[in-house]
Amino acid sequence: IKNQYRRNNNNINEIKNIVIVNNHDFYLENESGQRVSLDDYSGKVLYIDIWASWCGPCRKQFPFSEELKKKFKKRELKKIVFLYISIDNDYDKWQKAIKQLEIKGENLISPADRNNGVGQYFQITSIPRYIIIDNAGNIVQKNAKRPSDETILDDLLELIN
């Protein structure tokens, strides 16, 4: 609940309670341990990478992801966020993998052992999984192309331009 102040005809401020509902409501935490939401990135295109530290195919995609980012112009990069959401249950292994694999971008965690995790929300049965959300918060692709697929660049450019 967020308080919004509104001025009425008598110049007296009254408080009106407004309930704010997250479009994408599942457990998500950043590297600092703060709870976050995909709604925090509204207005941007999201290319989401669901992965885990123990997933070999996931790990092989990270170099392709870095190469993909280099293909965007600076102004285009301001319109897109690369989100890396780990489903690891072990926070130490997650953070160690981020450093070891040099994963640059927004690193988040949504442990698989939580009832309201990203895996459950997007009905993920295998990883890596890539998801694209447009700048209005709509899920455009629930099973998007991997960074190693050269045509993913065109898909993302179409959304940000």
Side-chain angles (χ1 to χ4, degrees), residues 17 23 48-49 63 68 74 79 86 109 112 139 145 152 156:
N17 288 326
N23 286 335
I48 302 171
D49 178 343
L68 175 62
K74 272 189 178 182
K79 298 177 184 178
S86 170
I109 191 167
I139 299 167
K145 297 169 189 162
I152 187 63
L156 295 171

Side-chain angles (χ1 to χ4, degrees), residues 138-159:
N138 302 308
I139 299 167
V140 178
Q141 293 180 24
K142 267 189 158 177
N143 198 2
K145 297 169 189 162
R146 294 178 177 201
S148 58
D149 184 328
E150 291 183 12
T151 63
I152 187 63
L153 177 64
D154 296 329
D155 295 353
L156 295 171
L157 284 172
E158 188 177 317
L159 283 170

Side-chain angles (χ1 to χ4, degrees), residues 45-64:
V45 171
L46 303 181
Y47 183 54
I48 302 171
D49 178 343
I50 312 293
W51 69 286
S53 63
W54 44 263
C55 170
C58 300
R59 296 169 79 96
K60 287 180 181 170
Q61 289 296 314
F62 291 120
F64 292 103

Side-chain angles (χ1 to χ4, degrees), residues 88-151:
D88 276 284
N89 294 324
D90 185 323
Y91 283 68
D92 290 335
K93 287 181 182 175
W94 166 57
Q95 293 192 330
K96 191 181 286 184
I98 291 169
K99 286 184 183 89
Q100 181 185 39
L101 300 167
E102 298 178 12
I103 305 170
K104 296 176 188 92
E106 296 284 324
N107 286 292
L108 307 172
I109 191 167
S110 185
D113 61 359
R114 291 192 67 99
N115 281 340
N116 60 338
V118 69
Q120 185 179 10
Y121 181 83
F122 286 111
Q123 300 163 350
I124 295 171
T125 54
S126 65
I127 54 174
R129 171 67 86 71
Y130 299 88
I131 298 161
I132 298 174
I133 296 179
D134 70 14
N135 58 6
N138 302 308
I139 299 167
V140 178
Q141 293 180 24
K142 267 189 158 177
N143 198 2
K145 297 169 189 162
R146 294 178 177 201
S148 58
D149 184 328
E150 291 183 12
T151 63

